Amino acid sequence: MRSIAEICQAVLAGAYDITLSRLYSRPAEALATYRQRIIRLTEGYQKVFGKAETDSAAIFSAPGRTELGGNHTDHQRGKVLTGSVDLDALACAAPNGTGEIRVFSEGYGMISVNTEELTPVRSEENTTKAIIRGVAAGISERGFSIGGFDAYVISDVPSGSGLSSSACFEVLLGQIVSGLFCGNKLHPAAIARIGQYAENVFFGKPSGLLDQMGCAYGGIIAVDFRDASDPKVTPVSFDFRAAGYALCIIDTGSAHNDLTGAYAEIPQEMGAVAAFFGKQFLRDVSEEAFYESMAALRAGCGDR
């Protein structure tokens, strides 16, 4: 970690331009907005937590992501193509010498979690507090000794938009804890699994691993989930701009924050289709058999 003053000076001097260019796919001459965003982040951190410019801190980032091919195929042991986007969550964070994790997110306020209490709390399901507690628990269960920290978070990943704002936040927390307490030893795959664990066990959403993998690895990756315990990840090199394409993100103003129940029904329904063929996962059902049985499937499993 470095002092906040040193971080700001280095950012404004362009010392991190290579990193910023890689994160946001922008040339150095177009990074002014991103430099100022980091400055604003550190100012918020100082104000909320009463820190001085001489205090030490670190900056962390995690991107939103979108599926380019494959949706709800991860929990069926299928294949996906996912890519991170240039919208991300940023955090300025540092250990606070206590057992309390304090996370302040712009627009949401302060949330505190005691690191001595890392078991699921039913009343916290579907809340940000559950995610924070779950990520801390997942890392602690891997044998790391973690302490309290203060984190100020800003994000331009729209909530409930399909860009995996929850997975982005989970991965951001994983990066913070890994950086502050684990010597950055947590591999992206481990951080992704910890995020999924927090979402499944603490938040109460039976998600697959796709969202967290996309946020943790960054860039474009192909993932084969045949072996769910060890998905095969292959980086994909593709330049949208050079190919004459652009991935457009449109804020429709809609959200799916209250649709956890409906989301949970999808894996159940897909499992019912697999069971029709005597299989556990759709990965093992042939495309030909699926279409040949369409009428019977509609009658037995519903039409959705």
Side-chain angles (χ1 to χ4, degrees):
M1 295 194 301
R2 306 174 66 179
S3 74
I4 295 172
E6 290 174 329
I7 291 173
C8 292
Q9 290 168 4
V11 168
L12 293 175
Y16 297 115
D17 280 2
I18 293 177
T19 299
L20 294 177
S21 292
R22 180 176 59 84
L23 287 177
Y24 302 113
S25 299
R26 299 290 191 278
E29 59 269 20
L31 293 175
T33 299
Y34 300 97
R35 297 190 198 103
Q36 287 302 320
R37 187 164 172 253
I38 295 175
I39 302 303
R40 181 170 69 83
L41 175 74
T42 61
E43 291 173 346
Y45 174 76
Q46 292 177 75
K47 181 178 179 180
V48 168
F49 295 107
K51 304 294 184 179
E53 288 187 340
T54 52
D55 288 321
S56 297
I59 308 298
F60 301 88
S61 166
R65 59 96 254 166
T66 185
E67 61 265 17
L68 302 174
N71 191 4
H72 287 288
T73 56
D74 51 339
H75 51 69
Q76 296 301 310
R77 304 295 189 266
K79 300 178 181 181
V80 300
L81 187 65
T82 183
S84 60
V85 298
D86 59 0
L87 303 176
D88 69 344
L90 280 179
C92 181
N96 58 25
T98 75
E100 200 76 13
I101 295 173
R102 301 193 299 172
V103 179
F104 184 94
S105 298
E106 280 192 0
Y108 297 93
M110 183 76 75
I111 298 176
S112 298
V113 170
N114 193 311
T115 58
E116 298 298 320
E117 302 169 1
L118 298 180
T119 55
V121 178
R122 183 170 296 276
S123 62
E124 291 179 359
E125 288 186 356
N126 292 298
T127 69
T128 302
K129 194 167 189 175
I131 290 177
I132 297 172
R133 195 183 302 278
V135 169
I139 295 177
S140 178
E141 290 171 10
R142 279 166 169 74
F144 291 99
S145 178
I146 65 175
F149 61 88
D150 295 330
Y152 187 91
V153 178
I154 61 176
S155 177
D156 55 12
V157 181
S159 177
S161 64
L163 291 176
S164 302
S165 59
S166 294
C168 169
F169 184 65
E170 292 156 9
V171 168
L172 180 69
L173 291 170
Q175 296 282 17
I176 292 171
V177 177
S178 180
L180 298 183
F181 301 103
C182 311
N184 285 314
K185 293 179 180 179
L186 287 175
H187 187 272
I191 291 178
R193 287 199 172 281
I194 289 165
Q196 182 195 25
Y197 169 74
E199 194 160 304
N200 291 172
V201 178
F202 286 73
F203 188 83
K205 182 177 180 180
S207 66
L209 191 58
L210 165 61
D211 294 3
Q212 291 82 1
M213 292 285 275
C215 294
Y217 275 86
I220 302 174
I221 57 172
V223 190
D224 187 337
F225 287 95
R226 177 184 289 279
D227 181 356
S229 65
D230 186 24
K232 182 181 179 182
V233 178
T234 305
V236 176
S237 179
F238 182 80
D239 189 332
F240 277 88
R241 194 174 291 114
Y245 291 96
L247 177 65
C248 298
I249 298 172
I250 301 170
D251 186 357
T252 65
S254 62
H256 58 226
N257 296 332
D258 60 344
L259 297 178
T260 296
Y263 180 98
E265 291 175 356
I266 297 174
Q268 295 171 8
E269 292 171 347
M270 296 175 81
V273 174
F276 176 93
F277 295 98
K279 306 294 184 180
Q280 185 176 2
F281 302 108
L282 287 174
R283 169 76 178 242
D284 300 317
V285 176
S286 74
E287 183 178 358
E288 293 78 9
F290 174 81
Y291 283 113
E292 288 174 0
S293 304
M294 185 65 72
L297 283 170
R298 282 177 165 152
C301 302
D303 198 39
R304 189 167 80 155

